[in-house]
Amino acid sequence: MLRIAVQAKGRLFDETMSFLEESDIKLSATKRTLLVQSSNFPLEVLFLRDDDIPQTVATGVADLGIVGENEFMEKAEDAEIVKRLGFSKCRLSLALPKDIEYSGPQWFEGKKIATSYPGILSRYLKEQGVKAKIHVITGSVEVSPGIGLADAIFDIVSSGSTLVSNRLKEVEVVMKSEALLIGNKNMSEEKKEILNELLFRMNAVKTAEDKKYVLMNAPKEKLDEIIAVLPGMKSPTVMPLAQEGWCSVHTVLDEKCFWEIIGKLKALGAEGILVLPIEKMIL
């Protein structure tokens, strides 16, 4: 059985549990304890603080972990990245009071920077050749300049609204972060087989993201032109309709180009266009 460590609460917890559910990993929803076993897959979930997950995986207490890239890079534990999961995206940035004129990374020379990520920050400052004082703080880092605790902050930024509410401006993006599936480097062959099955399910979910299954009725005389504008994975499925001169076309479209293509299809005479969500896709 595989043991996977996940964050016990917060946004990453919510997105992780949703992702496991989409991957058909059934877990008890009645109450959450430290360790919960799946009822339909050889997997148990260990709920921890996010900053404990890298070490837990590196030491083999858990075989896998889902953790933010920011925490993984900060802790620098000896575990491997198995898969980038693409959710819980954010960035680690330097920010300072919005009224201060910023001239570049050298501005931080001799300044005091408050952060919960001293490891990542110290490596960045070293790369820039900047010597600054790092003040390690947990909790509300963004209030530090306002109360005189620091000249600037280095913290997670998602929408940027927290910075704005504290009269701060983002001046340097040091790294971008997303959820990672990390693994112990000494996993047994038996556990690797279970991991491969888990990755198969996860990949089916990720591949289906932002994809739509599209069905339409198309005039046969325009069929070649319609197929030419469809950027599907392979050739679309074409089936004759009972009405002479018409056929049904089935394909998969990316949501980001969906409306542009739908407009072209309508202009070419496509009718009865039906759009369906895709839950999973196996290539």
Side-chain angles (χ1 to χ4, degrees):
M1 178 174 291
L2 281 178
R3 176 179 291 176
I4 183 169
V6 307
Q7 186 172 315
K9 59 182 179 179
R11 186 179 66 137
L12 182 55
F13 163 77
D14 293 333
E15 293 183 306
T16 296
M17 299 310 289
S18 176
F19 184 54
L20 291 176
E21 183 180 354
E22 290 172 356
S23 302
D24 290 332
I25 306 298
K26 298 186 184 301
L27 299 166
S28 172
T30 55
K31 62 178 181 177
R32 193 173 79 240
T33 57
L34 179 64
L35 195 63
V36 175
Q37 185 173 330
S38 169
S39 61
N40 69 335
F41 193 82
L43 181 81
E44 57 184 6
V45 178
L46 176 64
F47 296 100
L48 299 173
R49 285 168 48 96
D50 56 347
D51 52 358
D52 290 333
I53 293 175
Q55 182 182 40
T56 301
V57 174
T59 56
V61 175
D63 305 298
L64 301 169
I66 294 181
V67 66
E69 188 172 0
N70 53 310
E71 287 294 345
F72 182 65
M73 297 301 294
E74 174 64 25
K75 299 304 180 184
E77 294 285 351
D78 190 25
E80 61 183 355
I81 299 175
V82 177
K83 183 176 179 62
R84 292 182 170 273
L85 299 177
F87 55 81
S88 290
K89 291 186 177 182
C90 61
R91 56 194 182 273
L92 280 175
S93 298
L94 284 157
L96 44 85
K98 69 174 188 176
D99 297 330
I100 294 178
E101 185 176 345
Y102 179 69
S103 56
Q106 291 301 318
W107 182 90
F108 295 99
E109 183 71 32
K111 299 293 195 302
K112 183 183 287 187
I113 308 171
T115 186
S116 300
Y117 300 94
I120 297 173
L121 178 57
S122 61
R123 291 193 290 270
Y124 171 78
L125 293 174
K126 186 176 181 180
E127 291 172 1
Q128 298 298 320
V130 173
K131 293 183 179 180
K133 300 173 184 177
I134 298 176
H135 183 72
V136 180
I137 187 172
T138 57
S140 302
V141 176
E142 64 277 357
V143 304
S144 300
I147 62 175
L149 191 61
D151 301 297
I153 69 166
F154 177 62
D155 201 17
I156 289 176
V157 179
S158 295
S159 65
S161 60
T162 302
L163 294 181
V164 172
S165 63
N166 286 276
R167 298 180 59 80
L168 299 174
K169 62 181 178 182
E170 185 177 7
V171 293
E172 296 287 343
V173 177
V174 174
M175 70 167 284
K176 293 183 178 180
S177 175
E178 63 181 286
L180 301 176
L181 177 67
I182 61 173
N184 180 270
K185 291 184 176 181
N186 300 311
M187 206 180 305
S188 68
E189 291 301 319
E190 291 83 358
K191 289 186 176 182
K192 286 181 181 178
E193 290 183 10
I194 303 173
L195 172 59
N196 288 336
E197 175 61 27
L198 179 63
L199 288 173
F200 176 76
R201 295 188 181 199
M202 288 181 168
N203 289 335
V205 173
K206 298 302 294 182
T207 302
E209 281 185 354
D210 301 322
K211 298 286 195 307
K212 301 295 182 184
Y213 190 74
V214 181
L215 305 82
M216 73 199 80
N217 296 333
K220 285 186 178 180
E221 60 184 23
K222 294 287 186 177
L223 187 57
D224 290 341
E225 293 176 70
I226 287 174
I227 291 175
V229 303
L230 294 176
M233 295 157 41
K234 289 187 177 180
S235 177
T237 300
V238 179
M239 297 180 289
L241 293 178
Q243 184 176 349
E244 187 67 28
W246 285 81
C247 56
S248 177
V249 179
H250 298 209
T251 191
V252 174
L253 295 179
D254 283 315
E255 194 165 14
K256 60 185 177 182
C257 61
F258 173 77
W259 290 110
E260 177 187 353
I261 294 172
I262 290 297
K264 292 178 180 179
L265 294 173
K266 284 180 62 65
L268 290 169
E271 298 178 357
I273 301 173
L274 181 63
V275 183
L276 301 173
I278 300 177
E279 184 176 311
K280 297 174 183 66
M281 182 181 293
I282 300 169
L283 301 178

